[in-house]
Amino acid sequence: MHPKQLLDACTELVKRTLTFEHPADAVVSRFFRENRNLGPRERATLAETAYTVLRKKLLFEALAHSGSGPRERRLAILGFAECLKEQSGKEPKTRARDGFDSDSFVKAALLPQEFKWLKDCESIQPEDLMEAHRHNLPEWLVAPLKAQLGDEFWALAASMERSAPLDLRVNILNAKRSDVRKELEKAGIQAQPTPYSPWGLRVDGKPALARLDAFTRGAIEVQDEGSQLLALLLDAKRGEMVVDFCAGAGGKTLAIGAAMRNTGRLYAFDVSGHRLEALKPRLARSGLSNVHPAAIAHERDERIKRLAGKIDRVLVDAPCSGLGTLRRNPDLKWRQSPKAVEELTQKQAAILESSARLVKAGGRLVYATCSILPQENEAIAEAFSAAHPDFVPLSAGELLEQLKVEDGDALCSGGENGRRYVRLWPHRHETDGFFAAVWVKKA
């Protein structure tokens, strides 16, 4: 595709994502379905341009004031140029063989005055920018993050403007991490063991996985290392009765089922039958037969009542703001609001309350989110502990130590010794932002 045509397509995609009527990943997927002639590299450029604009929206909108032409095109130009520069840096050998030069490619897409404007924008130094244009976060989100992190806030803000690495979870039911790593290497894919999860591999770049034998036979699944650690923390054993209360598309469900060695009974509950449908092909690939997906009407559904006091371990991966996933879903910071978060905290408290009824004496309860806001995390956990003296808080640091997670204390915070909760941050741990609290029900 000619650079001008590619930029025009980027402009249209940027325009669609900035309406915020639907999640950005759904908008991008629909755009690709409507334009099936696009090649892999063109798709990568389109998607990354749109995501770059979402990540740096405040800065790009400020710079766009000095340009001319339609606003969406100016924003797309800034995202397009940055995206191509990054792609060129990440794929030097391939690009060199193709004779690719990102600056020349961008210049071919632009009018002369647009190229001059772009170069003027690129010459601005970060230290000359206003604070909001450096962090590119909505103002309501800045204060709670600064309160938690202090000067570390800027490292978090910078990490949120980068795309997340691609993490895989090796299915320990039918594969070994070392063997899968060698298999990927033979296919030309470099992967390193994840630093914390014993099941994970971190892959260089964004290779196509769907046609790999390792993928089709269920030896690997795409799953962020942080998400793997939450499943590990549940520590489900062979033959137990386990519930994944908000299973969604089942990433953690599959990890838990494999940890149970395909024994016992693992219920995957969710209020969205549509999300559970997405679990079915993954479940078929995994080789697991101990997983039982079930759609429920709400957290007080009759299915839940029938299992009250019978379950060994319950994972509550609660619906949340998702603000820990801004590297993957940068539109969330513009689609969420303080009011929406407040409504979510009420739902989180209700779901945790209902799910706790499932746990039998001596059983384990894990509450988790992919949020970085304390009101969705520590506040919910502490309120639950205060209201339920029959649930004893466990030290996440001690549990990770027992599970032989290397440097597990670095993943924890809170409590007298800083080991009470799992607290994962993109800038510290290269995972999505996650939180987890653990309790055992008194015998």
Side-chain angles (χ1 to χ4, degrees):
M1 184 183 282
H2 190 277
K4 286 183 179 177
Q5 292 175 299
L6 186 55
L7 178 59
D8 287 345
C10 286
T11 302
E12 176 59 26
L13 182 55
V14 165
K15 183 178 179 180
R16 292 191 194 185
T17 56
L18 288 178
T19 65
F20 298 115
E21 290 174 9
H22 302 284
D25 58 351
V27 174
V28 170
S29 294
R30 181 171 182 176
F31 189 84
F32 289 165
R33 286 196 300 273
E34 291 172 3
N35 297 273
R36 295 186 183 277
N37 59 320
L38 295 166
R41 187 172 288 177
E42 291 159 343
R43 286 173 180 244
T45 300
L46 278 156
E48 200 50 43
T49 294
Y51 281 112
T52 301
V53 172
L54 290 167
R55 288 187 185 110
K56 298 196 171 185
K57 180 172 169 283
L58 295 181
L59 172 60
F60 286 1
E61 283 177 338
L63 295 174
H65 287 308
S66 63
S68 58
R71 168 179 168 268
E72 288 85 2
R73 180 175 171 87
R74 280 174 274 156
L75 295 174
I77 288 169
L78 293 165
F80 186 67
E82 187 160 316
C83 161
L84 287 169
K85 198 179 293 180
E86 281 187 18
Q87 285 183 353
S88 182
K90 285 177 183 174
E91 305 176 72
K93 292 176 185 173
T94 308
R95 297 299 190 173
R97 276 199 300 271
D98 292 351
F100 179 84
D101 175 72
S102 63
D103 215 41
S104 300
F105 193 87
V106 171
K107 191 173 185 178
L110 304 181
L111 299 170
Q113 65 268 31
E114 288 177 325
F115 189 70
K116 182 183 182 305
W117 167 75
L118 173 64
K119 290 293 139 188
D120 288 342
C121 290
E122 289 178 343
S123 69
I124 297 171
Q125 298 302 307
E127 57 268 23
D128 296 330
L129 296 172
M130 291 174 59
E131 188 170 293
H133 301 152
R134 286 165 57 208
H135 62 59
N136 283 286
L137 293 166
E139 206 53 47
W140 67 269
L141 192 52
V142 173
L145 293 177
K146 282 187 173 179
Q148 292 180 85
L149 294 168
D151 291 341
E152 235 185 303
F153 165 79
W154 290 104
L156 172 68
S159 74
M160 292 296 200
E161 290 187 349
R162 297 190 289 269
S163 60
L166 177 60
D167 290 350
L168 307 177
R169 178 184 56 80
V170 174
N171 183 355
I172 60 171
L173 187 66
N174 58 25
K176 290 183 178 178
R177 180 162 69 169
S178 57
D179 293 341
V180 171
R181 185 184 177 193
K182 289 173 187 171
E183 185 179 343
L184 292 175
E185 194 173 335
K186 284 180 183 175
I189 298 170
Q190 297 299 314
Q192 302 298 323
T194 45
Y196 306 109
S197 169
W199 305 329
L201 287 169
R202 183 157 293 158
V203 174
D204 288 351
K206 299 288 169 70
L209 300 171
R211 293 180 184 173
L212 291 177
D213 182 56
F215 182 82
T216 55
R217 73 172 192 274
I220 53 171
E221 276 285 343
V222 175
Q223 186 178 16
D224 182 78
E225 183 183 21
S227 178
Q228 296 177 36
L229 288 169
L230 298 189
L232 186 74
L233 197 63
L234 191 66
D235 196 21
K237 307 292 188 187
R238 291 173 183 264
E240 289 185 330
M241 293 264 283
V242 180
V243 167
D244 185 352
F245 201 82
C246 306
K252 296 179 191 70
T253 309
L254 298 174
I256 295 163
M260 294 168 71
R261 308 305 299 180
N262 205 18
T263 64
R265 196 169 183 86
L266 172 55
Y267 293 97
F269 290 137
D270 203 277
V271 293
S272 170
H274 177 70
R275 282 200 293 268
L276 287 174
E277 281 296 313
L279 167 59
K280 287 184 178 177
R282 302 174 77 187
L283 187 55
R285 280 199 310 272
S286 73
L288 293 170
S289 57
N290 64 338
V291 178
H292 302 272
I296 54 174
H298 44 70
E299 69 270 13
R300 298 175 308 281
D301 191 283
E302 278 301 317
R303 288 173 186 253
I304 307 302
K305 290 179 181 177
R306 287 199 296 269
L307 292 171
K310 297 177 181 176
I311 304 300
D312 294 286
R313 295 170 198 261
V314 176
L315 171 63
V316 182
D317 183 15
C320 69
S321 64
L323 293 167
T325 69
L326 290 184
R327 299 178 307 167
R328 303 174 198 281
N329 305 298
D331 56 311
L332 281 176
K333 60 186 173 182
W334 311 118
R335 295 174 63 231
Q336 291 290 10
S337 68
K339 186 184 177 192
V341 171
E342 187 181 341
E343 290 170 358
L344 280 165
T345 60
Q346 294 169 15
K347 186 182 290 186
Q348 288 155 359
I351 289 173
L352 182 55
E353 182 78 26
S354 290
S355 63
R357 297 186 186 120
L358 294 169
V359 185
K360 74 180 190 183
R364 181 176 295 188
L365 175 64
V366 176
Y367 170 78
T369 75
C370 54
S371 173
I372 46 179
L373 294 177
Q375 60 262 49
E376 295 185 83
N377 296 331
E378 289 89 348
I380 298 290
E382 285 160 19
F384 178 82
S385 291
H388 294 272
D390 54 330
F391 278 84
V392 180
L394 297 179
S395 164
E398 286 180 19
L399 295 175
L400 292 174
E401 190 178 314
Q402 290 164 19
L403 291 162
K404 296 183 169 52
V405 172
E406 199 169 322
D407 201 17
D409 280 358
L411 310 178
C412 298
S413 70
E416 290 180 10
N417 57 10
R419 305 178 84 197
R420 170 72 181 89
Y421 306 117
V422 166
R423 206 55 150 90
L424 302 177
W425 296 92
H427 68 290
R428 287 183 193 167
H429 309 115
E430 269 300 319
T431 68
D432 287 342
F434 280 106
F435 171 86
V438 191
W439 297 267
V440 62
K441 189 173 182 180
K442 284 182 181 176

